[in-house]
Amino acid sequence: MICAALMSAAVQSYAKTEKITIQGSVGKLSAVLQTPDGLAEGEKCPVVILMHGFMGNKDGMLEKLTGDKLAQSGIASIKFDFNGHGESEGPFSGMTVPNEIEDAKLVYEYVKSLPFAGSVAMTGHSQGGVVASMTAGDLGVDNIKCVVLLAPAAVLRDDAIRGSTMGARYNPLDPPEFVQLFGDMKLGREYIKTAFSLPIYETAQKYTGPACIIHGTGDQVVPYTYGERYHSIWPGSELHILHAADHMFSKDMQKAVDLTVDFLVKNLK
């Protein structure tokens, strides 16, 4: 990770980073736009929207390394905190997958308004992978050039049906107003109610463009079979099953980043 940090510092010398805010579904979203230096006036550049997972934020190492390597490859990126996460507005207890999808669509609209924006792609880790897949299904291949999912957490629907999210137990048929998670984090009733019947694969399969799924056999949060299911509904998609990799790809995060960026470069450049 020390080497990765040094590489990241080197990238900053030829990439422009700008902190911005975007109107989201329930308030302002905190975002960081990263563009390669040297874009000529009127020149178009692909843009990748990076989406973090449940209880994560835009400053995660996976998102940082991916954005930096994309800039190194001449591709812009935007990473943002979903509502109720990081520096974005809204309570965590009010966050749901549907309103995260609305956040993603509003970020997409912002990206399309940028004068240099060319084709747009999406990546998502964990719950962000579910959001990316469903948003791509809604927007379609005419708007989303390609998609990368990392450990996509479609298990969240099964968790809600079982009445267990991140180890917290509840009655899924009559969920309480809040479910206590770690520390002072509380999961809201609406999250559970919407997750219970969320049409994850039904929505995602409407996307027909290039897709890549990366998942680890050591993932104890989201079994890798959920990644395989995405591969089965997206004919022609790439599937990379990484031996012993955990949910955060912590043992070899650079491998997941390299697979992500190589796929994006191949389909965007």
Side-chain angles (χ1 to χ4, degrees):
M1 297 305 288
I2 292 175
C3 291
L6 291 174
M7 289 173 60
S8 176
V11 168
Q12 300 304 318
S13 65
Y14 52 88
K16 177 183 175 183
T17 300
E18 180 183 4
K19 192 167 184 178
I20 58 175
T21 58
I22 301 168
Q23 182 59 49
S25 61
V26 296
K28 299 288 187 181
L29 302 175
S30 177
V32 173
L33 177 65
Q34 190 167 6
T35 54
D37 277 344
L39 280 180
E41 185 174 354
E43 183 181 358
K44 295 291 185 179
C45 176
V47 184
V48 180
I49 301 173
L50 309 176
M51 301 187 220
H52 66 77
F54 184 84
M55 297 179 72
N57 60 67
K58 66 182 180 304
D59 299 319
M61 187 56 67
L62 185 61
E63 290 76 22
K64 179 173 176 55
L65 293 176
T66 302
D68 287 349
K69 187 163 185 179
L70 285 169
Q72 197 173 7
S73 304
I75 298 174
S77 66
I78 186 167
K79 54 186 180 179
F80 67 99
D81 294 327
F82 282 110
N83 72 89
H85 291 79
E87 299 175 304
S88 288
E89 294 180 346
F92 179 82
S93 58
M95 174 274 303
T96 67
V97 175
N99 67 32
E100 285 199 345
I101 292 171
E102 290 306 308
D103 284 344
K105 290 178 179 177
L106 289 164
V107 172
Y108 168 80
E109 292 299 327
Y110 171 82
V111 167
K112 291 302 292 182
S113 75
L114 295 170
F116 63 83
S119 54
V120 179
M122 291 182 167
T123 78
H125 172 249
S126 193
Q127 181 166 292
V130 171
V131 173
S133 72
M134 296 180 71
T135 304
D138 283 342
L139 295 180
V141 69
D142 290 340
N143 295 305
I144 303 300
K145 179 72 172 178
C146 56
V147 178
V148 180
L149 308 182
L150 299 106
V155 70
L156 67 87
R157 179 179 179 182
D158 294 335
D159 287 345
I161 292 170
R162 284 191 294 262
S164 177
T165 298
M166 304 298 286
R169 303 287 304 182
Y170 49 84
N171 178 359
L173 301 180
D174 185 21
E177 182 180 0
F178 302 111
V179 173
Q180 188 71 47
L181 300 179
F182 313 117
D184 61 352
M185 304 296 282
K186 295 180 179 179
L187 191 68
R189 176 191 293 127
E190 197 62 23
Y191 179 95
I192 297 165
K193 290 174 64 178
T194 55
F196 192 91
S197 57
L198 195 66
I200 297 175
Y201 297 115
E202 296 88 340
T203 303
Q205 70 183 357
K206 294 187 292 183
Y207 179 72
T208 57
C212 174
I213 303 102
I214 304 167
H215 218 135
T217 61
D219 190 338
Q220 296 185 7
V221 178
V222 181
Y224 72 90
T225 50
Y226 286 90
E228 291 181 325
R229 174 79 182 275
Y230 270 108
H231 180 53
S232 72
I233 68 166
W234 281 342
S237 61
E238 289 187 14
L239 175 65
H240 300 276
I241 300 296
L242 306 186
H243 177 67
D246 61 19
H247 189 59
M248 299 302 295
F249 303 98
S250 59
K251 294 181 180 179
D252 191 358
M253 189 176 291
Q254 195 61 51
K255 174 67 173 178
V257 171
D258 290 345
L259 287 169
T260 297
V261 177
D262 288 349
F263 177 83
L264 292 168
V265 169
K266 178 175 67 176
N267 286 282
L268 292 174
K269 296 290 284 184

